[in-house]
C-alpha cells in the first residue's frame, strides 16, 4: 500500500463525514435558491472557523505573549550562551512564570490539518449532484484554470503572517518566511482542487477577521497611549 492510499484509508471516515456535511450545506444553498457547491464550502469553512475560535484566541494570545517575552529571552540567551542546559531551564521558567505555552500557537493548525487532508481526498472523489462550477471556476474538483484562487491563497497566507508578526521584534528575521511560505502555498495550490484552495482562502480571511476582532480595542488604545505620553 502506497503512502497516498494509506492516508486515504486513514482519513476515510472523516472524508465521508465531510461529504455529508458539504451536501448538507449544499441543500441549504439550494433551499435559498442559490444552489452552489462553492457557497457550501464557504459556509462549511466559516462554521469550522467559528468552532475553532477558542483555539484561535489561545493561538493569538500565545504568539503575542511570546513577542512580549522576546527582550527577556534575548537577555537569557546572551547571559547563558555558553551553558545551553541552564539557558533552557531559564527559558522554561520564564514561560512558566508568564503562563505561556509555546505549543499553543500550533493548536489551530493541528486541529485544521485532519480537516484539510479530508477535504483534499473528499474533493478528489466527490460526485457533485449539481453544477460543480463556482464563479469563474468550471469545476471545483479540478484546479483553477485561471490561477486566481492560487494567487488568492498566496496573498491571504501572506496577510495572515504579516498580521501575526507585524509587531514582533524579530520581523527582520521573519521576512524570509513571510515570502517563502505564501509562494510555496500558491505554487502547490496550482495543482490542488479549486474547492480545497477556496477552503484555504476563506479560512485565511476568517483568521484575519477574527484576529482583527480580538485586537480592535488595542489598536485604538496604542495611539491614544502614545499621544498621552507625548503630552507629558
Amino acid at each position: 500500500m502506497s503512502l497516498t492510499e494509506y492516508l486515504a484509508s486513514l482519513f476515510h471516515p472523516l472524508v465521508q463525514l465531510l461529504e455529508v456535511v458539504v451536501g448538507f450545506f449544499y441543500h441549504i444553498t439550494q433551499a435559498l435558491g442559490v444552489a452552489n457547491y462553492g457557497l457550501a464550502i464557504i459556509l462549511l469553512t466559516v462554521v469550522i472557523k467559528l468552532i475553532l475560535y477558542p483555539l484561535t484566541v489561545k493561538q493569538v494570545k500565545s504568539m503575542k505573549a511570546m513577542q512580549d517575552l522576546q527582550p527577556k529571552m534575548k537577555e537569557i540567551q546572551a547571559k547563558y550562551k555558553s551553558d545551553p542546559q541552564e539557558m533552557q531551564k531559564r527559558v522554561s521558567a520564564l514561560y512558566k512564570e508568564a503562563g505561556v505555552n509555546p505549543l499553543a500557537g500550533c493548536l489551530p493548525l493541528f486541529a485544521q490539518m485532519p480537516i484539510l487532508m479530508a477535504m483534499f481526498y473528499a474533493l478528489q472523489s466527490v460526485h457533485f449532484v449539481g453544477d460543480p462550477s463556482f464563479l469563474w471556476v468550471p469545476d471545483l474538483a479540478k484546479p483553477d484554470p485561471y490561477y486566481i484562487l492560487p494567487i488568492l491563497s498566496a496573498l491571504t497566507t501572506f496577510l495572515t503572517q504579516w498580521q501575526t508578526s507585524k509587531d514582533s521584534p524579530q520581523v527582520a528575521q521573519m521576512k524570509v518566511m513571510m515570502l517563502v511560505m505564501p509562494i510555496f502555498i500558491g505554487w502547490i495550490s496550482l495543482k490542488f482542487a479549486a474547492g480545497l484552495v477556496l477552503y484555504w482562502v476563506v479560512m485565511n480571511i476568517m483568521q484575519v477577521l477574527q484576529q482583527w476582532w480580538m485586537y480592535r480595542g488595542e489598536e485604538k488604545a496604542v495611539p491614544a497611549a502614545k499621544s498621552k505620553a507625548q503630552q507629558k
Side-chain angles (χ1 to χ4, degrees):
M1 180 183 292
S2 67
L3 178 60
T4 302
E5 291 173 337
Y6 172 74
L7 290 174
S9 63
L10 181 65
F11 288 102
H12 184 65
L14 188 54
V15 169
Q16 289 184 312
L17 176 62
L18 274 178
E19 288 176 348
V20 172
V21 175
V22 170
F24 169 76
F25 283 114
Y26 175 76
H27 289 309
I28 290 179
T29 65
Q30 201 173 35
L32 295 173
V34 287
N36 188 275
Y37 277 100
L39 292 177
I41 291 173
I42 291 174
L43 288 174
L44 169 66
T45 311
V46 171
V47 169
I48 290 174
K49 196 60 181 171
L50 289 176
I51 292 173
L52 295 178
Y53 181 71
L55 293 182
T56 302
V57 172
K58 287 186 177 180
Q59 176 197 32
V60 174
K61 287 185 176 180
S62 175
M63 295 181 74
K64 181 69 174 175
M66 290 285 288
Q67 291 173 7
D68 293 340
L69 290 177
Q70 283 301 314
K72 292 184 179 179
M73 286 183 64
K74 285 183 178 180
E75 290 179 9
I76 293 174
Q77 290 168 353
K79 187 175 181 180
Y80 299 100
K81 60 182 179 181
S82 59
D83 190 349
Q85 289 186 335
E86 183 64 24
M87 182 194 301
Q88 187 61 42
K89 287 182 182 179
R90 298 282 180 170
V91 169
S92 298
L94 180 64
Y95 287 154
K96 187 175 181 180
E97 182 183 349
V100 174
N101 182 1
L103 296 178
C106 302
L107 288 175
L109 181 61
F110 290 148
Q112 291 177 43
M113 192 56 67
I115 300 171
L116 193 64
M117 293 295 293
M119 283 287 289
F120 173 79
Y121 288 110
L123 288 167
Q124 300 300 315
S125 58
V126 69
H127 297 289
F128 293 111
V129 296
D131 184 4
S133 66
F134 176 66
L135 297 178
W136 66 88
V137 181
D139 190 343
L140 287 166
K142 297 178 180 178
D144 181 353
Y146 302 106
Y147 311 125
I148 295 174
L149 282 173
I151 292 172
L152 289 176
S153 72
L155 290 175
T156 54
T157 299
F158 174 81
L159 184 58
T160 57
Q161 290 191 317
W162 173 82
Q163 187 185 46
T164 302
S165 61
K166 63 180 180 178
D167 296 324
S168 172
Q170 293 184 320
V171 170
Q173 300 175 18
M174 299 177 70
K175 281 184 178 179
V176 174
M177 183 58 68
M178 286 176 65
L179 291 174
V180 172
M181 183 58 72
I183 292 172
F184 173 73
I185 293 295
W187 178 69
I188 62 174
S189 296
L190 293 173
K191 296 182 179 180
F192 284 165
L196 180 65
V197 184
L198 176 63
Y199 170 84
W200 181 262
V201 169
V202 177
M203 188 68 75
N204 284 339
I205 293 172
M206 287 293 294
Q207 174 75 20
V208 170
L209 292 175
Q210 287 182 343
Q211 190 163 329
W212 168 81
W213 176 259
M214 280 184 273
Y215 287 107
R216 68 195 185 283
E218 288 190 12
E219 291 176 358
K220 295 178 181 179
V222 171
K226 286 183 178 178
S227 177
K228 287 182 179 180
Q230 289 173 353
Q231 289 176 2
K232 291 180 180 180

